Amino acid sequence: MNERLLALFAEHPDGFLSGERISRDLGVSRTAVWKHIQALKAEGYDFESSPRKGYRLVGRPERIRAAVLQARLTTRRLGRALRLVDETPSTQDEAHAWVAQGASHGALVVAEAQTAGRGRLGRSWHSPKSKGVWMSLVLKPDIPLPLTPQLTLLAAVALCRTLRRLTGKEAAIKWPNDILIGDRKVSGILMESSAEDERLNYVVAGVGVSVNLRREDFPPELQTVATSLLLEAGRPIEREELIALFLEQLEELYELYRREGFSPIRTLWEALSSTLGRTVSIKTPQGVEKGIALRLDETGALVVRREEGGETKVFSGDVRQETGTFQKKTM
Ligand code: BTN
């Protein structure tokens, strides 16, 4: 019942709903509506109420609720073992430590806040309390070590689909795995793998999504380059739903990958990419490559047509996408 009531408010993100309207839509008495509103308030939901206009949902509970998350999960393995922590330096460290204690495939660590969240290429990751999804997932795939980057691309597809579903916005992937809305970053993925003798032991997939940050929740240096789902969708997003949806997408794609290999994942990634068809400069360990991003190759490397002619393949690096020179994608 509370779910149906919340769904009704989600359909009217900005407006008031009268008690009469709610009671009619949900087929319950006015007293029952009042009782459910009180129950939701006790869970941390905040309503503005007006005798004339009814109720307006103005705030959601701050904490990720384990029971709600578990109820939302549709996966077989991903997220079924779950640790919710209040504050940690990094969920990546928590996940690695958990593997050492026996965590299995799909184990998930979610934090309300990180004090030393890390991003790709040695950067830090801004992770304010209760404003985002800061999580690390243990994966134990049976694939050769050099194919690990394919998992990153797979995770980016799952995340991009999730954010599109939740916001209705055209989220897109900037190679290899940043998610942008417009030209601002809303989410990133950090894959850390553990290998021995060229054999992959396990991967920790770290996912950071700026969910309910307001402009002032970002530090000044991020305010012009980063965005949040709240800012883009114009309403708060429920973090449990985001996590459950992401895990569902990821498990589905992971099964597809196991059955059919990288080829279908590559097609999906290319269709969601904001990088292909653009002039890019990529800082790689070998130097800067400049040219037009053409496609992914069958391993997951980015194929770039060099300015000076010829094609090159880039396996990892930091991409700058020129916005002025967008060329229509062929797919
Ligand atoms: C990037 O875009 O540079 C990757 C950002 C990854 C951030 C997430 S938040 C959860 C997990 N824990 C971390 O310390 N980092 C990842």
Side-chain angles (χ1 to χ4, degrees):
M1 168 67 196
N2 285 351
E3 294 301 320
R4 288 168 60 213
L5 188 50
L6 287 172
L8 195 58
F9 278 105
E11 285 164 21
H12 302 85
D14 305 315
F16 278 89
L17 284 173
S18 70
E20 191 191 341
R21 162 83 193 272
I22 300 172
S23 100
R24 198 178 55 234
D25 280 15
L26 301 185
V28 297
S29 70
R30 295 280 296 273
T31 318
V33 170
W34 183 85
K35 278 196 184 144
H36 286 293
I37 296 273
Q38 301 314 308
L40 285 172
K41 278 188 176 169
E43 271 187 61
Y45 289 87
D46 199 1
F47 294 90
E48 188 182 333
S49 50
S50 142
R52 260 187 332 105
K53 294 191 272 184
Y55 303 97
R56 192 160 76 99
L57 180 59
V58 290
R60 289 168 185 275
E62 291 277 286
R63 300 291 146 129
I64 291 171
R65 296 150 300 167
V68 173
L69 176 52
Q70 274 150 353
R72 297 249 192 290
L73 284 184
T74 55
T75 47
R76 220 166 44 83
R77 299 193 62 189
L78 303 190
R80 291 292 168 182
L82 174 68
R83 282 190 184 171
L84 283 183
V85 298
D86 201 44
E87 190 176 285
T88 175
S90 163
T91 53
Q92 295 292 95
D93 298 338
E94 298 273 346
H96 287 293
W98 193 4
V99 173
Q101 297 160 0
S104 52
H105 178 78
L108 179 71
V109 182
V110 188
E112 288 294 342
Q114 298 185 115
T115 50
R118 53 182 184 262
R120 290 174 64 235
L121 309 163
R123 300 199 178 109
S124 63
W125 184 260
H126 178 60
S127 323
K129 190 160 202 117
S130 302
K131 297 278 180 174
V133 165
W134 327 124
M135 65 181 170
S136 297
L137 183 68
V138 175
L139 298 173
K140 297 193 171 175
D142 189 13
I143 57 170
L145 182 62
L147 296 190
T148 317
Q150 295 181 346
L151 288 179
T152 318
L153 299 166
L154 185 155
V157 172
L159 191 53
C160 189
R161 284 178 155 189
T162 303
L163 303 190
R164 282 185 171 210
R165 280 259 292 270
L166 284 173
T167 63
K169 298 278 169 179
E170 294 223 332
I173 310 170
K174 179 179 155 198
W175 186 83
N177 52 13
D178 286 352
I179 310 294
L180 309 182
I181 300 184
D183 56 2
R184 287 168 185 246
K185 179 161 168 172
V186 70
S187 177
I189 300 171
L190 174 70
M191 283 280 183
E192 294 176 338
S193 46
S194 154
E196 232 173 281
D197 303 330
E198 288 301 294
R199 250 199 75 246
L200 183 62
N201 280 336
Y202 72 91
V203 186
V204 172
V207 176
V209 188
S210 301
V211 182
N212 290 325
L213 286 84
R214 291 173 308 235
R215 182 77 54 226
E216 60 271 25
D217 296 323
F218 288 101
E221 68 277 12
L222 293 182
Q223 286 187 2
T224 53
V225 292
T227 189
S228 73
L229 302 182
L230 168 74
L231 292 172
E232 296 299 326
R235 65 181 170 90
I237 300 289
E238 192 195 80
R239 292 178 296 158
E240 293 93 339
E241 189 184 357
L242 190 161
I243 297 168
L245 204 53
F246 169 69
L247 295 176
E248 181 180 307
Q249 295 290 323
L250 190 67
E251 193 165 271
E252 201 179 284
L253 292 171
Y254 189 74
E255 290 309 319
L256 178 67
Y257 178 66
R258 276 162 47 113
R259 280 195 319 270
E260 297 180 25
F262 183 58
S263 169
I265 305 299
R266 171 185 169 193
T267 307
L268 293 169
W269 188 97
E270 288 184 333
L272 293 171
S273 159
S274 80
T275 303
L276 301 186
R278 288 194 192 217
T279 301
V280 291
S281 39
I282 308 175
K283 261 195 233 150
T284 75
Q286 290 75 39
V288 177
E289 290 286 356
K290 201 161 179 207
I292 294 176
L294 297 179
R295 62 180 180 279
L296 292 184
D297 80 355
E298 59 293 342
T299 68
L302 184 67
V303 182
V304 176
R305 189 193 305 130
R306 278 199 173 114
E307 268 185 339
E308 60 270 28
E311 289 183 3
T312 183
K313 290 183 178 178
V314 187
F315 293 88
S316 73
D318 194 19
V319 179
R320 207 167 70 87
Q321 303 185 162
E322 317 265 327
T323 43
T325 52
F326 184 77
Q327 313 200 340
K328 194 153 175 25
K329 280 190 251 167
T330 49
M331 53 168 310

